[in-house]
Amino acid sequence: MDLHRIGLIATKEAQDHLTSRRFIGLLFLLLTICGIYILKETGTYLEELTSYSSGTSSIYNLPYTVNIFGGIMSAIGGSSIFGPIIAVALGFDLITKERESGSIKAILSVPVYRDEIINGKAFGGIIVLAITTSIVFVLAFAVLLVHSIVPGITEMSYIFMFWLFTVLFLSGIFIMSLMISTFSKTSGMSLVFSLLALLFITSVIYTAGSYATEFIMGPDPSTEYQYIDSLDNNELYQMSVDYNKNKDELMQFVEYISIRMDYWELSKVLTWPQHCRDSSGSWREEFEKGLPPVGETLASIWGYILFLIAYPVVFFGIAYVRFMRTDLR
């Protein structure tokens, strides 16, 4: 495996993506949606800042500049799907289009190995997603500067981690579509299965997991057994505490295996840190002094980080093995 050849393939793939009409059109739609959400969050930020300055709100409602970037979270990981759609559009035909046109045989006839092709294509797509995410964040910074809002150093670290997790989230979806492209015979079938897989990992897993948790756990035993004379209030209370603890653990596992929930939980902590800490009841003293270091904020939710990283790694591993074993004759 030659890193120089991988770099050449990645550069060529990135150039092809960035100059394609499909990518430019989707990027324009994504920027439009993100711009709307960012402007909405900017208005909310200015209103809360005015309310805080006038003394009509509590210290726990102190707005931060990172709150504005919550608009990106809503646009990419919320109701809008243009971010994931761009990721799918980059990867669903990376292998199938080469197979359909017959160019894959021509590529393999030159001194280049299969692993260099799959690595270069994956790396090129991730580069494009990093550029796309950077453009969206530049748009957000432009809105901040227009309103004379300048983030502090600590807030910049939160914004950088949010950018990194956004790239990871989109990369996981992109690698998923690349994986499906290695299994599909045609680009049309690859697109259909990629969209179905996108729906599955972003919505179906969490929805089905939530229903499964409710079915497995059943009703709260403190309510079910409240009329049994042999149980006093303390026993009922302890049963309820144990029930809710086990239910929360199951729901957290469901969130772990949903890539959208991994991204949502991480983004929520980074873009609305004061709300997360206020609901948990922790860091109140530090909250009055300002944002804590970003590493301390993320320390309690490391599970979401691991699973967000695991998605692209597992998908790429499957794609790599499949491509290396595929008969391309």
Side-chain angles (χ1 to χ4, degrees), residues 169-240:
F169 170 65
L170 296 178
S171 296
I173 296 173
F174 161 71
I175 298 297
M176 175 208 68
S177 63
L178 172 62
M179 176 194 70
I180 293 176
S181 180
T182 63
F183 284 91
S184 302
K185 298 295 183 181
T186 64
S187 296
M189 291 302 298
S190 179
L191 176 59
V192 171
F193 285 122
S194 293
L195 292 176
L196 289 175
L198 173 63
L199 178 64
F200 181 78
I201 66 174
T202 56
S203 299
V204 174
I205 287 180
Y206 180 73
T207 303
S210 299
Y211 281 114
T213 300
E214 293 289 341
F215 177 78
I216 293 172
M217 296 302 300
D220 190 330
S222 65
T223 303
E224 187 176 0
Y225 302 140
Q226 61 179 329
Y227 299 110
I228 298 179
D229 296 334
S230 59
L231 297 175
D232 58 26
N233 291 334
N234 290 333
E235 290 176 310
L236 290 174
Y237 174 76
Q238 188 59 45
M239 292 172 63
S240 180

Side-chain angles (χ1 to χ4, degrees), residues 134-274:
S134 298
I135 293 174
V136 172
F137 275 67
V138 168
L139 172 64
F141 276 107
V143 173
L144 295 184
L145 294 178
V146 167
H147 291 86
S148 301
I149 302 172
V150 180
I153 295 177
T154 303
E155 289 177 311
M156 287 297 296
S157 65
Y158 277 68
I159 294 170
F160 172 75
M161 292 305 300
F162 178 45
W163 173 88
L164 180 61
F165 291 141
T166 302
V167 173
L168 272 175
F169 170 65
L170 296 178
S171 296
I173 296 173
F174 161 71
I175 298 297
M176 175 208 68
S177 63
L178 172 62
M179 176 194 70
I180 293 176
S181 180
T182 63
F183 284 91
S184 302
K185 298 295 183 181
T186 64
S187 296
M189 291 302 298
S190 179
L191 176 59
V192 171
F193 285 122
S194 293
L195 292 176
L196 289 175
L198 173 63
L199 178 64
F200 181 78
I201 66 174
T202 56
S203 299
V204 174
I205 287 180
Y206 180 73
T207 303
S210 299
Y211 281 114
T213 300
E214 293 289 341
F215 177 78
I216 293 172
M217 296 302 300
D220 190 330
S222 65
T223 303
E224 187 176 0
Y225 302 140
Q226 61 179 329
Y227 299 110
I228 298 179
D229 296 334
S230 59
L231 297 175
D232 58 26
N233 291 334
N234 290 333
E235 290 176 310
L236 290 174
Y237 174 76
Q238 188 59 45
M239 292 172 63
S240 180
V241 169
D242 295 338
Y243 168 84
N244 288 317
K245 180 181 178 182
N246 293 332
K247 186 176 181 180
D248 290 342
E249 289 177 351
L250 279 176
M251 280 303 303
Q252 187 174 58
F253 177 74
V254 171
E255 291 178 352
Y256 281 159
I257 61 177
S258 170
I259 188 173
R260 179 177 175 273
M261 290 307 300
D262 291 328
Y263 176 68
W264 182 264
E265 291 296 329
L266 290 168
S267 301
K268 184 172 64 175
V269 168
L270 291 172
T271 58
W272 292 96
Q274 69 271 40

